[in-house]
Amino acid sequence: MENKDQYAVYGNPVKHSKSPQIHAAFAEQTGQKLNYRAHKVELERFAEVASQFFSHGGKGLNITAPFKLDAFKFADQLSGRARRAGAVNTLALQEDGSIYGDNTDGVGLVRDIHDNLGWELNGRRILVLGAGGAARGILGPVLKQKPAHVLVANRTVEKAQNLVKLFDAMGDVSGCSYEGLIGTQFDLIINGTSASMTGDLPPLPHHILSNDGCAYDMMYGPKPTPFMRWAAAEAAWAVSDGLGMLVEQAAESFCIWRGVRPDTKPVVELIRQSLSA
């Protein structure tokens, strides 16, 4: 029987994960021999289970909630973007036996917005909703695109302000409460909150989108999210969910592990079809 390199995604919950389907498609497309599975890890057991995976010959892991901080602590070496984000979503076994940690979320978002959707980030006024792990993972790569300004809005203003302090050397970035958004206007709004999962919506004022403003929800599903429906009602020029980001961040992980970059477009279409099946 042919031996295949072993990869997995660790999370809790993880049953909903599309990562096995995505990486199977990448492997088939690029002729790579690997197995990839989803594994639910009990809370408090991440380091133990990850150590076992690598000691038994595992080559790489994707990490989803709630273990990205655990993975950050677990890695022997960190990429610059993982260090800035304070979180790791990709672990890779190195030739010397050490574990390399990276964060591909932000570059996945930027690739989807810029390359796939064709939206401009350079020189734009960008609003990021939420100051949790999702926002933290994307701020560095977004600021690297040299937007005119990035504002992080959060229910707790202190959390937003503490987050932007970590990135203020990279560009013009500030934080505020949702109440502080009154009278402001943006070219792109990125929803980094989990509100879409609960059918909720951050309290956003009317006319906050510019005439050619776009809206991007990092969440995705078979139907438009509440945030996407709000943006369409606000006459957004374009609206997207985060499925492309999911596939793009996975492609970056795959490239780190295998040294080859898959074509993401057919895989986005494949996963989109599976959502509506």
Side-chain angles (χ1 to χ4, degrees), residues 94-251:
Q94 305 296 283
E95 286 187 7
D96 64 0
S98 65
I99 306 299
Y100 172 76
D102 204 345
N103 190 312
T104 66
D105 286 333
V107 70
L109 172 107
V110 168
R111 284 213 180 102
D112 189 37
I113 287 177
H114 190 270
D115 299 352
N116 299 340
L117 299 172
W119 302 356
E120 191 55 68
L121 292 166
N122 182 269
R124 308 292 271 176
R125 297 164 297 172
I126 299 174
L127 171 63
V128 176
L129 303 174
R136 188 168 175 149
I138 67 166
L139 272 181
V142 166
L143 285 164
K144 270 193 162 183
Q145 300 300 305
K146 298 194 176 354
H149 178 64
V150 175
L151 181 63
V152 177
N154 192 62
R155 290 187 192 277
T156 310
V157 66
E158 290 81 9
K159 192 173 181 184
Q161 290 170 342
N162 289 337
L163 175 61
V164 301
K165 283 176 188 172
L166 303 173
F167 295 91
D168 59 9
M170 295 186 67
D172 187 351
V173 57
S174 58
C176 74
S177 65
Y178 288 131
E179 290 78 14
L181 293 174
I182 296 169
T184 60
Q185 200 167 60
F186 299 90
D187 306 307
L188 170 62
I189 302 178
I190 300 171
N191 182 23
T193 74
S194 57
S196 290
M197 295 176 72
T198 58
D200 203 0
L201 188 69
L204 299 172
H206 289 300
H207 312 301
I208 194 171
L209 273 169
S210 64
N211 288 337
D212 60 347
C214 302
Y216 189 96
D217 197 336
M218 290 169 66
M219 298 293 168
Y220 66 92
K223 297 178 181 177
T225 67
F227 173 75
M228 293 169 68
R229 294 198 299 271
W230 167 85
E234 287 287 312
W237 176 71
V239 178
S240 179
D241 68 6
L243 181 60
M245 173 186 172
L246 174 74
V247 176
E248 291 294 345
Q249 63 81 24

Side-chain angles (χ1 to χ4, degrees), residues 244-267:
M245 173 186 172
L246 174 74
V247 176
E248 291 294 345
Q249 63 81 24
E252 183 75 2
S253 295
F254 191 88
C255 190
I256 289 166
W257 294 330
R258 310 299 295 184
V260 59
R261 183 172 298 283
D263 180 9
T264 53
K265 187 174 181 182
V267 181

